[in-house]
Amino acid sequence: MSKVGIIGYGITPFTKKDQKIESVLLDSARQLFRNNSQINREDVDAVLVSTNNNSKYLSPILSEMTGIQPKISHSVESLCNSGTNSIVSAYSYIASGLANMVLVTGAERYDSPGQILQWDNSRGEFKHPIFWASIFTKSYKREFSISDEQLAIVSVKNHKQAKENPNALSNKTYTVDDVMNSKKLTEDLRLLDCSRPCTGSASIIMASEEKAKQLTDEPIWITGIGQKTTSAGFTKNTSFSTMESTKLASQTALEMSKKNSKDIDVAEIHDAFSVCEPMALESMGFTAEGKGTDMVNELHSTNNFKINPRGGLIGTGHPLGATGIAQTIEIVQQLQSNAGKRQVDDPNVGLVHNMSAAATSSTVLVLEK
Amino acid sequence: MNFESKLTKGEFCIPECIKCKKIVWPPSEFCNSCFGDVVLKEGPFMGKILEFSSQNQQNFCLVEFENTIRIMAKILKKPKLGQAVKISKCGISDGSYFFEVI
């Protein structure tokens, strides 16, 4: 199978702006082409749009607004992991030979309809994500004797790291006490434990090996892809203290890239809520079950930005359709040693973990220089 | 009568495949294993609390029935892990199911 690389990107600040989705989409794509003038838009074979917005025909609209007449253009929607799903689709088009170069743009507004999965009636009247997150949190704390204060360090760490990210929604730092004293949403969840919906956009351009080598000296290769959907409904999860789909997706991605979790130098983890970060770290084999908060605490106390350098979803904000693409851009920047004050020491291998609807579906990507 | 028609009347039924006897959840007209027709088993059914939390003094819990069906439900008294419960109220409001257990 031919190699597929990422050869350029564009990203907007994540904000609470009330802006038309079409304009949000265009912002990061325009930045991408402005910063990569060597890319000829006539050579873009496919345009994929990742969003949960209800507006129609967004990919042809983005194509027209960017002066592209692609062979393939369509939207991809899979709630919170729409972004990495669209990257996997782009990869498939290139690897199969259907396309040589693909623009992938994700965008969302702060009021995205993707925040609540109306279909999942097994949640009864408790459809807002804070309820599955509360069940995960209670179950994780019970299973591994973890305190709220230990979980609060996830939020403290990721807000600290987001402060070094000029595109992040948050630019404040918080203490464990601040997190503990933030508004109590449920018995097990506080406001600062939660990522916040926002408006934002992220674009990448992906290319075949031949095209990538023609157009850039530093392509970042996608060497591993793993995806798993175990169900759509939250209550079908087999465990509420581990993430089965994440475990299976990461095994597939690492196997494809011939790596293991010890080889990963930097990772973007889908911390929709504080508890998700240690759960995901454990499910992907970064640490033993129940030891995720110890790992987070050690990273925080040593100021090591290895996990969620851009500030995670908690610090950066969560514009659903853009999130997986923004996570991928962060790993690209890290591997190109272009991440400014967030830079991890000389990384060679990075990982992206992006999931949907209480980890019922996960995507894991492995990226390399 | 289908699952939602029964639920609207406040009756919680368990959908089961006529052919392979599998419990079909979420409710559907067909079995997701063999695509056989589904019948509704009538309750009451005893469930078990798997996990719980609360919001503004209102308890909510994750309940499992027949080792298969899981729902999120209200519960008035402080729940306990593994507690046996049954549905005391259920229905559909604004397109969403709701359940209460005791």
Side-chain angles (χ1 to χ4, degrees), chain A residues 52-54 77-80 108-132 197 232-234 273 318 320 356-358 360, chain B residues 55 93-97:
Chain A
N52 291 266
N53 193 283
N54 287 332
E77 180 277 305
S78 183
L79 295 182
C80 303
E108 209 71 59
R109 280 170 48 90
Y110 65 91
D111 57 355
S112 170
Q115 288 159 35
I116 291 174
L117 180 57
Q118 290 296 348
W119 172 85
D120 190 2
N121 268 321
S122 69
R123 302 188 202 184
E125 63 201 271
F126 302 99
K127 283 185 176 165
H128 194 281
I130 62 168
F131 297 111
W132 69 251
F234 157 64
F273 298 93
H318 185 21
L320 313 189
S356 294
T360 52
Chain B
Q55 183 185 47
S93 173
D94 293 331
S96 285
Y97 298 178

Side-chain angles (χ1 to χ4, degrees), chain A residues 122 127 142 187-188 236-237, chain B residues 25 51 53-54 70 96:
Chain A
S122 69
K127 283 185 176 165
R142 186 195 306 283
E187 181 187 343
D188 296 289
K236 284 275 180 80
N237 271 317
Chain B
W25 189 258
E51 198 48 272
S53 185
S54 66
R70 291 168 181 175
S96 285

